[in-house]
């Protein structure tokens, strides 16, 4: 059994009145651990549907989704929420933090969802946040953070349960160029060093340099646009 | 609890406003229950405090003392019946006590004269002075509230409209009947006062209004069958039979019922609105793997914390009110009543929070993220 994310022959249809609308058509993609993949495409192309299905938030009409070798297409809602909790780290658009939790609690609440918070969980959370440059902001609330700090908190939260798959949905949408580079290079760094299978949906072309592969989504069809060709500039730019 | 407390601490102002509403509601509920209790105590404390289990009335008297008249002979007869441990007669007359020969308003006091056999189980224990005596027919024991009207131990007062004078030989506590102070008099003296007009005793020898029975296992139907022309009821039924008692209680009960219903809706709507405002947060947490149980527990524990705080504050305020409320207002807090209504309020709050929990379970994490194409 292989690790990472495997999606094969996935389609998704929505009913719109009497019409049947296809959001995804026979999409297949494999993301290996340590691989950082970008999905680009115009709005309405099916990118978000794709990410929702990969993220166990939405069921495919047909096809198979395997996360870390486990087929999630037949799971119950409760089991799906376990998959999201244990196997998937979501990095959403900014301001998707819980407003009344401080930075450290944003991470600890993830542990709370699956039971108790142990001392080593807290230590791990602090280490994660320090690694992302948030050591001085542990007690800060979202409203006191800058856009970049919020996104870095979200990255740390996504890594908190040590998931196998990282999904990022437009993580740079509300950031300026400098912060956007900072955030995506951090994601790339974490993906490489922690061996996660990562998918980033974006239409920010500036960020593609950090990715191993770039897929293009158009009218529900996914195609490989760029392969390892971009690898060189990425390592150069990320430069750690 | 984690989420619930973190949010409470972070949004103190918003929750403070909910707590204020809840405190006012519980305060009002408890005050109203205290008033209801005070009123019913005023109306029937003497009856409620009597160590009697059943009451024998005349048939057709609708369990009302004022409509019932029987002969004293029945007391001896009823004592012979199965399961009757003891029996004692009782009579009641409303009267007015006149302080001296004064004609001032404040020197006329309404009282309820309760005729009993001196030394019987119906005689309450005095807190001051001494008990009734068959040798001193004019010596009575009175409720201590008469002291507020200026009566002292050893005072003699006249009954308005009669030539009878009574002397206070003892005071008792918590003895009110028909909303006025109860005055216990020996049966013979009570008869003299009550049946002074010729024919008012309907020709019954040694008339009494009712016979109080002791005995937990008494079967009322057996008594009714053995004693002709009688109607035996429980003491609780006799209390309800007092003129105006049911009506008075029904008004208070209806107010309380409405208040509790309204509070259920008000609180439910508050919690619901708060939950609606958090749709996005709940969606995010669901997206990162929170289960309905986790978030549901957060909502319920939050409501629990708010409710306990509010009810506790309401109880404090109610006891504070009890301490300063004027004596003229019949207000009587009963700790079991306070506990009961507090539990009812808590249950109502918890039930009303279930609407919010249900709403939360329906939140689709995908919609909350606002990314559905």
């Amino acid at each position: 059994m292989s690790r990472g994310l495997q999606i094969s022959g996935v389609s998704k249809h929505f009913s719109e009145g009497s019409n049947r609308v296809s959001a995804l058509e026979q999409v297949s993609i494999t993301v290996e651990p340590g691989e950082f993949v970008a999905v680009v495409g115009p709005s309405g192309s099916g990118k978000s549907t794709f990410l929702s299905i990969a993220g166990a938030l939405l069921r495919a009409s047909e096809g198979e989704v395997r996360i870390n070798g486990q087929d999630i297409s037949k799971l119950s809602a409760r089991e799906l929420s376990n998959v999201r909790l244990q196997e998937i780290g979501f990095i959403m658009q900014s301001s998707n933090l819980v407003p009344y939790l401080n930075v450290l609690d944003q991470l600890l609440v993830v542990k709370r969802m699956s039971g108790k918070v142990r001392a080593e969980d807290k230590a791990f959370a602090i280490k994660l946040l320090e690694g992302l440059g948030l050591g001085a902001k542990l007690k800060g609330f979202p409203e006191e953070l800058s856009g970049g700090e919020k996104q870095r908190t979200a990255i740390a939260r996504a890594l908190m349960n040590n998931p196998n798959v990282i999904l990022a949905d437009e993580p740079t949408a509300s950031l300026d160029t400098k912060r956007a580079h900072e955030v995506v290079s951090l994601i790339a760094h974490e993906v490489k060093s922690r061996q996660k299978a990562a998918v980033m949906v974006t239409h920010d072309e500036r960020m593609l340099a950090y990715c191993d592969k770039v897929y293009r989504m158009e009218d529900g069809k996914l195609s490989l646009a760029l392969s390892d060709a971009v690898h060189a500039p990425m390592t150069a730019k990320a430069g750690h | 609890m984690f989420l619930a407390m973190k949010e409470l601490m972070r949004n103190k102002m918003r929750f403070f406003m909910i707590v204020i509403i809840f405190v006012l509601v519980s305060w009002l509920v408890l005050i109203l229950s205290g008033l209801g209790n005070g009123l019913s105590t005023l109306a029937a404390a003497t009856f409620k405090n009597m160590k009697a289990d059943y009451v024998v009335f005349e048939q057709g008297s609708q369990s009302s003392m004022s409509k019932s008249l029987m002969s004293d002979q029945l007391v001896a007869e009823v004592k012979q019946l199965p399961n009757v441990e003891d029996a004692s007669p009782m009579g009641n007359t409303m009267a007015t006590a006149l302080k001296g020969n004064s004609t001032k308003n404040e020197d006329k006091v309404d009282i309820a004269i309760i005729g009993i056999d001196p030394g019987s189980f119906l005689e309450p224990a005095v807190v001051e002075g001494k008990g009734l005596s068959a040798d001193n027919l004019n010596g009575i024991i009175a409720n201590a509230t008469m002291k507020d009207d200026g009566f002292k131990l050893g005072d003699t007062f006249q009954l308005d409209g009669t030539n009878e004078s009574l002397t206070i030989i003892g005071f008792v506590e918590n003895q009110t009947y028909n909303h006025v102070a109860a005055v216990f008099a020996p049966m013979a003296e009570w008869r003299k006062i009550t049946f002074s007009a010729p024919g008012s005793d309907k020709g019954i020898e040694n008339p009494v209004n009712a016979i109080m029975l002791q005995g937990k296992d008494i079967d009322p139907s057996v008594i009714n069958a053995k004693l002709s022309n009688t109607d035996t009821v429980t003491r609780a039924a006799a209390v309800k039979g007092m003129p105006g008692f049911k009506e008075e209680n029904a008004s208070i009960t209806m107010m309380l019922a409405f208040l509790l219903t309204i509070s259920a809706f008000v609180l439910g709507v508050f919690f619901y609105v708060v939950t609606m405002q958090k749709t996005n947060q709940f969606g995010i947490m669901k997206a990162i793997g929170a289960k309905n149980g986790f978030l549901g527990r957060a909502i319920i524990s939050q409501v629990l914390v708010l409710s306990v705080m509010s009810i506790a504050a309401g109880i404090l305020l109610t006891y504070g009110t009890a301490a300063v409320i004027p004596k003229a207002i019949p207000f009587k807090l009963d700790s079991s009543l306070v506990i009961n209504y507090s539990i009812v309020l808590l249950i109502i709050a918890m039930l009303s929070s279930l609407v919010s929990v249900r709403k939360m379970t329906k939140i689709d994490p995908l919609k909350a993220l606002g990314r559905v194409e």
Side-chain angles (χ1 to χ4, degrees), chain B residues 2 28 60 73-74 76 81 102 138 210 229 237 255 262 274 276 286 296 316 358 364 368:
Chain B
F2 174 79
L28 186 53
Q73 286 169 357
L74 287 174
L81 295 179
S102 168
N138 289 57
N229 231 1
M255 278 191 260
I262 293 168
V274 170
M276 291 285 278
K286 282 184 171 195
L316 284 180
R358 191 182 141 79
D364 181 358

Side-chain angles (χ1 to χ4, degrees), chain B residues 287-302:
Chain B
I288 62 175
K291 289 181 196 67
N292 285 333
F294 177 78
L295 298 175
R297 280 196 301 277
I299 294 178
I300 289 178
S301 57
Q302 197 167 58

